[in-house]
Each structure stands twice: as C-alpha cells, then as structure tokens.
Amino acid sequence: MTTTAAPMRALTDLGPIAQLRAGRLARRLVQLYAGLLLYGFSIALMVRAHLGLAPWDVLHSGLTRWFPIDIGQALVIVSFVVMLGWIPLRELPGLGTISNAIVIGVSTDVFLSVFPHVSAVALRLVLLLAGITLQALATAAYIGAQLGRGPRDGLMTGLARRTGRSLRLVRTAMELTVVALGLLLGGVAGLGTIAYALAIGPLSQALLPPLVVRFPDRGELPG
C-alpha cells in the first residue's frame, strides 16, 4: 500500500460548522454528491454482478430477506442506527454524514430499478471489477470533499480513538462482524466480498490524493 504523506496531512478534522466555512464550498459540494451518487452506482453494479457484495452490503442484503425493504432502504436504516453509536463516542456528524446516509441508499435503489439482470459470467466479472474500482473512486471523492465522515467511517474512527486500537484492526473487526451477521441473515457473499476486502483499501488510498480539497489557510493534521 503506497501513498504520499502530504495529501493525507491535508485532511483536516473540522467540526460541522467549520466544515462549511472552510472555503471552496461549491467545489466540495459537487464532489461530495458526485461521489455519493457514484457510490450508489457502484453498489448497484456489484448487486447485478451476483458474485458477492461488500461487507456492509452483505448485511444490507441479509436484512432484505427478513423485512419488506430494498437494499438501498436497508443501507439508509443501518446508517442511522450506526450513527446512534456515535453518541457515546462523541462523534459529530456533518453535512456529508447525513448525505452519505441518505443519498447512497436512495441512489442504489434508483440505479437497481433501471439496471437489467445479467447472466453471462464474463459480464458479471466486469461489473464486479467496475463496481469495486468505482466504489474506491467514490470513497476518495466524498472523503476528499471534507464535509464529514460517513456513518461507518465515524464509528470506526470513534472506536479506534476510544479503545486505543489501530484503525486497521477496528475496521477489520467491524467488517468481519457485519459479514457474519449478514451471512446469518442470508446475505450475499462470495468472490466479490473477498476481492472487495483485498482491493478497496489500496485503491481508495491511491485515488485519494488528487481528490483532497486543500485549505491553505487551515492548520493541517500531523501525518
């Protein structure tokens, strides 16, 4: 996993109001919502690939087997449930946090409503690879906009801060937990789940540097 230190240091830790006052807001809003829509698009591609979903989507797909909801609706519900976990961790949601919880889920269901089912294995593999790659790009876009962490990101960073454990360990524990829960509920896991777990971190980190919106007048976090 390779990256440069400077772009990571350009990520600031601002409160919800400071995020909106930090400057370059129009650019950041466009990047945020483009990233969230792209994220929903990427989930829809992975669903149509039928080769396994990302860890949290394994849980979301499992919930659809027990409740009369679509996968995007499950995503929205889980997002707000996860945000309840922010309260004892004293994490503060930003515009990007609330938008993440709603826009990704709604756009996922919209894209699924127009995407046809695919049966050819070769095309399903293409959809899977495209879904993973585009989700990494979408992740880099919404993080780089610096308008608040996503619900799951905030839970991860909050738990890491409170427990003193590394982000990598906390993220791994979270994703193993949601995959296990998703499988118990009958969620969709498979080759795509493994491929996603191996690829999403390196891809997101590689794509992040050019998408981080810098604030030259703001202090930067240490690397």
Side-chain angles (χ1 to χ4, degrees), residues 125 128 172 183 213:
L125 283 170
L128 172 63
T172 300
L183 289 174
V213 181

Side-chain angles (χ1 to χ4, degrees), residues 42 46 127-137 192 195-196 199-200 203:
S42 70
M46 292 187 67
L127 292 180
L128 172 63
L129 295 175
I132 293 172
T133 302
L134 292 177
Q135 194 161 133
L137 178 61
Y196 181 95
I200 194 66
L203 282 174

Side-chain angles (χ1 to χ4, degrees), residues 76-143:
V76 173
I77 293 168
V78 170
S79 294
F80 281 100
V81 171
V82 166
M83 286 173 63
L84 293 177
W86 285 35
I87 297 173
L89 298 173
R90 297 182 181 177
E91 291 284 314
L92 294 175
L95 174 64
T97 309
I98 305 301
S99 298
N100 184 298
I102 297 172
V103 175
I104 293 177
V106 172
S107 63
T108 295
D109 283 343
V110 169
F111 286 123
L112 283 172
S113 71
V114 297
F115 284 178
H117 290 273
V118 177
S119 57
V121 175
L123 183 53
R124 289 164 59 200
L125 283 170
V126 171
L127 292 180
L128 172 63
L129 295 175
I132 293 172
T133 302
L134 292 177
Q135 194 161 133
L137 178 61
T139 300
Y142 84 71
I143 289 176

Side-chain angles (χ1 to χ4, degrees), residues 1-23:
M1 185 181 297
T2 59
T3 188
T4 57
M8 298 306 294
R9 284 197 294 266
L11 289 172
T12 56
D13 192 15
L14 303 176
I17 303 302
Q19 290 166 8
L20 298 175
R21 294 176 175 174

